[in-house]
Each structure stands twice: as C-alpha cells, then as structure tokens.
Amino acid sequence: MHRFFISPETIKGGKLEITGSDVKHIRDVLRLKAADEIIAVDGSSTEYLVKLETILKDKITGKITEKKEVLKEPVVSITLAQGIPKQDKMESIIKMNTELGVKQIITM
C-alpha cells in the first residue's frame, strides 16, 4: 500500500485533502482511482487508512476509514560495529544506517 506524508491541518471531519506534488504522483504515476486506498502519515504517531473519493487535477480528497497510533521508535536498539572504510565512505555509512534506525555506531 502506498504511503504519503501529510500535515495534520489537511484533515477535517473524517476527510483528508491532498494537494501539491503528491496529486500528480497519485494520479499520473501510480494511476490510482476513486475507491483505491492509501496510507497517510501525519508526522506524529498517527497513520490513517484513506479511501480515495475524488481525484481532480489539483486536489485529491479521501475518507478516513481507519486511524491508528504507531510506534515512532523501533522496539529494539541496534548498535553497528563498523571498521574504518577507505576514502570518504564513512559519511554515507553513517547516513544510511541512521535512516535505518541504528542507535549507535562504534568504529573499530
């Protein structure tokens, strides 16, 4: 299922409104239609299951069918023991592992 990040202000009365570049992506790239479902994440700890209702050129509306709280942080704490790489690869290693949720990096 496709996930989209939204701001909490776009939710009004059980409905969701998507504008901006996500509209083109949903309509033209993914080719989703009315009645298809997506997951919307509001940046805090809430996920919304949304059933698309109208897909216009500049705006998409959908009905929130389910709302659930999700954990922000992984339950496990991961430590990476990393040898010193050649050249300048360490910055990429740190960046990618941080994005994956590694809590601590130890260099050897």
Side-chain angles (χ1 to χ4, degrees), residues 74-81 97-98 100-106:
V75 185
V76 296
S77 179
I78 300 170
T79 300
L80 172 69
N97 283 287
T98 303
L100 290 173
V102 172
K103 294 289 181 191
Q104 183 178 16
I105 299 173
I106 302 170

Side-chain angles (χ1 to χ4, degrees), residues 79-95:
T79 300
L80 172 69
Q82 172 68 46
I84 303 293
K86 294 181 179 179
Q87 299 173 345
D88 57 351
K89 295 179 185 175
M90 189 61 145
E91 185 176 331
S92 295
I93 291 169
I94 292 171
K95 180 179 182 242

Side-chain angles (χ1 to χ4, degrees), residues 25-88:
H25 187 73
I26 291 170
R27 189 188 69 230
D28 298 337
V29 177
L30 298 175
R31 297 180 183 196
L32 297 179
K33 305 290 182 205
D36 287 340
E37 292 183 329
I38 62 169
I39 294 175
V41 181
D42 70 359
S44 63
S45 60
T46 309
E47 273 187 358
Y48 302 93
L49 182 62
V50 179
K51 187 171 188 176
L52 300 179
E53 292 182 330
T54 59
I55 300 176
L56 304 174
K57 186 171 182 147
D58 61 341
K59 177 173 71 169
I60 294 175
T61 59
K63 181 179 181 184
I64 297 172
T65 58
E66 186 179 331
K67 175 183 173 180
K68 65 180 179 178
E69 300 295 318
V70 292
L71 295 174
K72 286 183 162 185
E73 296 292 324
V75 185
V76 296
S77 179
I78 300 170
T79 300
L80 172 69
Q82 172 68 46
I84 303 293
K86 294 181 179 179
Q87 299 173 345
D88 57 351

